[in-house]
Amino acid sequence: VLIAKPGKDRGLHVSSVRNTIMPAWVIDKYGTNDVLRFNENTLFPVIHYPNEVIIQVHAASVNPIDVHMRNGYGAASLNMTRDPLKMKIPGSEFPIILGRDVSGVVMECGLSVKYFKPGDKVWAAVPPWKQGTFAEFVVASANEVSLMPKSLSHTEAASLPYVALTAWAGLVNSCGLKKETCPGKRVLIIGASGGVGTAAIQLLKAWGAHVTVVCSGGAQTLMNDLGADDVIDYTTASLKDQLKTRDLFDVMFDNVGGTSEELALQYLKPWSGASYCTLVTPFLYNTDRMGIADGMMRSGFTLGSKVIKHLCKGIHYRWGFFTNSGPALDEIGEIVDAGKMRPVVEKVFPFSDVPQAFDKLEAGNARGKTVIQVI
Ligand code: NDP
């Protein structure tokens, strides 16, 4: 364990960092909402690597991955990342602290951290194999962290990192979109009214794309406010019929999965570099069900055969995954501070009501993000 540099010069309450326990929401087993437990005596996080920082969490937010992880989804892959040599006994991942997003203040820095200092306001998305942010303090690698946009409150900032980075990974890394390539591109977002979708619309509009969104009727006004050029209500008529009346697209970004994948071959411009990217993949499901080796082989086979099937028709087929990246978050922060992207906070829950926030997310019909105010 490395000795961290205290934040003396910033006049912070460094003594609190010396505590050995903190309040956090933990799970001790997988299951429904009943497994969420508020524990005032959770072990205080420790800096293990020189590039890590301890952040005092001001706000966090709830994502579908939190609900899935609470249910045990992805446990095989996440446990392999936590303990690659399988040195620990089964169940040693518990207690798990859920929560991926954080906005807060740096309390301590590892010895090699140069970019941050105690007292900096930061935001980050912590990857799922690490202890999460439904706690008073969290440890993150400095390369996952970014200075918080100056124009946002903590509550607003906590709503963005995980979904904005997922949208970034799908649009930029998987579909090759960026500021320079977006103007003139026609993009279709399926499932646009939730966390990832509302972030994706705004990134694309900031870069000058033409954005068509698919959502249910109640989200129409929100979609227009965020800058969508064309809104399709999937509840009024068949999506296929509604798409027939539109021009073909350059990119499809799918946050819903299932049968919506079939739209790629019909409504993307073939042989023009058009891409389809879905966030809903069987990757973790396969490893949970079949084990790491067989599950990865099955996923590789499924992905490979879909890539080839689509390539034969002139379409690039991709799976998109959340990718944590401080530098990408820096760029997203600049877009936010330039007034081109805003947080879409649907509801804020106090730290005492984390289970109610899970209930809200599980009930569906998200319109942006559900945030947890920690302090
Ligand atoms: P949310 O729960 O915030 O939003 C989902 C949205 O989809 C809701 O607004 C919902 O509203 C809408 N929706 C549901 N069914 C349809 C449909 N048939 N057509 C259009 N819209 C629909 O989820 P996120 O935005 O955070 O995530 C989206 C998906 O991406 C989730 O499945 C999540 O698990 C996945 N994901 C995957 C990641 C990865 O690394 N691969 C990372 C992050 C997310 P309504 O029902 O009212 O239409």
Side-chain angles (χ1 to χ4, degrees):
V1 175
L2 294 158
I3 299 165
K5 292 183 283 188
K8 285 181 216 145
D9 52 337
R10 308 286 291 204
L12 293 167
H13 304 289
V14 174
S15 59
S16 65
V17 179
R18 301 291 172 219
N19 288 344
T20 53
I21 54 171
M22 65 170 182
W25 282 91
V26 300
I27 59 168
D28 307 297
K29 59 180 177 181
Y30 300 116
T32 56
N33 238 5
D34 300 341
V35 301
L36 285 167
R37 178 171 67 90
F38 185 68
N39 180 13
E40 284 193 85
N41 300 322
T42 307
L43 276 185
F44 199 88
V46 174
I47 289 180
H48 281 102
Y49 298 98
N51 70 331
E52 288 182 329
V53 296
I54 297 180
I55 301 168
Q56 181 174 29
V57 182
H58 282 234
S61 80
V62 191
N63 291 285
I65 184 75
D66 297 310
V67 175
H68 297 324
M69 282 175 66
R70 187 207 63 198
N71 291 340
Y73 170 78
S77 300
L78 296 175
N79 283 339
M80 192 195 67
T81 315
R82 290 179 187 120
D83 178 23
L85 299 178
K86 291 203 170 191
M87 306 282 277
K88 298 181 183 162
I89 55 167
S92 59
E93 72 266 35
F94 298 114
I96 293 175
I97 304 174
L98 300 172
R100 310 288 28 118
D101 289 305
V102 53
S103 112
V105 174
V106 174
M107 297 304 290
E108 296 208 11
C109 296
L111 292 171
S112 71
V113 174
K114 301 274 183 285
Y115 192 64
F116 301 103
K117 58 188 177 318
D120 283 343
K121 285 183 172 182
V122 291
W123 63 343
V126 182
W129 53 88
K130 293 189 179 175
Q131 288 293 45
T133 59
F134 298 151
E136 272 198 355
F137 294 88
V138 67
V139 167
S141 301
N143 60 322
E144 295 159 1
V145 178
S146 162
L147 292 173
M148 201 176 110
K150 292 187 174 46
S151 55
L152 299 186
S153 67
H154 280 296
T155 311
E156 292 170 326
S159 70
L160 272 173
Y162 191 79
V163 291
L165 285 171
T166 301
W168 186 281
L171 298 173
V172 180
N173 305 351
S174 300
C175 297
L177 293 175
K178 53 185 176 181
K179 198 169 153 192
E180 295 75 24
T181 56
C182 256
K185 287 266 169 30
R186 285 178 53 75
V187 183
L188 178 72
I189 305 175
I190 305 169
S193 48
V196 178
T198 50
I201 298 172
Q202 298 186 82
L203 276 177
L204 290 164
K205 287 314 297 174
W207 292 334
H210 181 283
V211 181
T212 303
V213 297
V214 180
C215 63
S216 52
Q220 174 115 23
T221 311
L222 173 64
M223 299 292 95
N224 290 332
D225 287 350
L226 295 177
D229 298 287
D230 188 6
V231 181
I232 298 176
D233 179 353
Y234 73 91
T235 60
T236 53
S238 131
L239 183 52
K240 284 187 181 171
D241 289 345
Q242 298 193 68
L243 285 170
K244 273 182 200 154
T245 61
R246 268 87 178 175
D247 292 339
L248 296 180
F249 297 93
D250 297 288
V251 170
M252 252 184 219
F253 185 47
D254 187 355
N255 302 324
V256 172
T259 54
S260 52
E261 187 167 313
E262 294 162 13
L263 303 170
L265 290 176
Q266 281 174 280
Y267 300 105
L268 281 168
K269 294 175 189 167
W271 306 111
S272 64
S275 307
Y276 166 87
C277 173
T278 181
L279 294 181
V280 183
T281 79
F283 182 78
L284 293 178
Y285 173 74
N286 284 344
T287 50
D288 282 343
R289 197 168 51 99
M290 305 169 76
I292 298 294
D294 289 352
M296 285 176 80
M297 243 161 58
R298 167 62 66 90
S299 297
F301 178 76
T302 305
L303 177 62
S305 52
K306 288 185 183 214
V307 166
I308 292 167
K309 175 181 155 191
H310 286 76
L311 211 51
C312 290
K313 306 265 173 166
I315 303 292
H316 297 287
Y317 177 96
R318 305 272 186 268
W319 284 353
F321 295 99
F322 157 77
T323 310
N324 59 326
S325 161
L329 215 41
D330 286 345
E331 289 194 52
I332 292 163
E334 283 170 24
I335 296 171
V336 170
D337 276 340
K340 294 181 175 169
M341 186 173 190
R342 67 170 170 89
V344 183
V345 177
E346 185 182 11
K347 196 160 167 61
V348 181
F349 286 86
F351 193 38
S352 54
D353 290 354
V354 166
Q356 287 85 335
F358 272 67
D359 281 338
K360 153 92 190 68
L361 195 81
E362 281 189 277
N365 304 119
R367 301 289 177 259
K369 289 303 303 282
T370 298
V371 171
I372 308 291
Q373 181 83 49
V374 177
I375 56 171

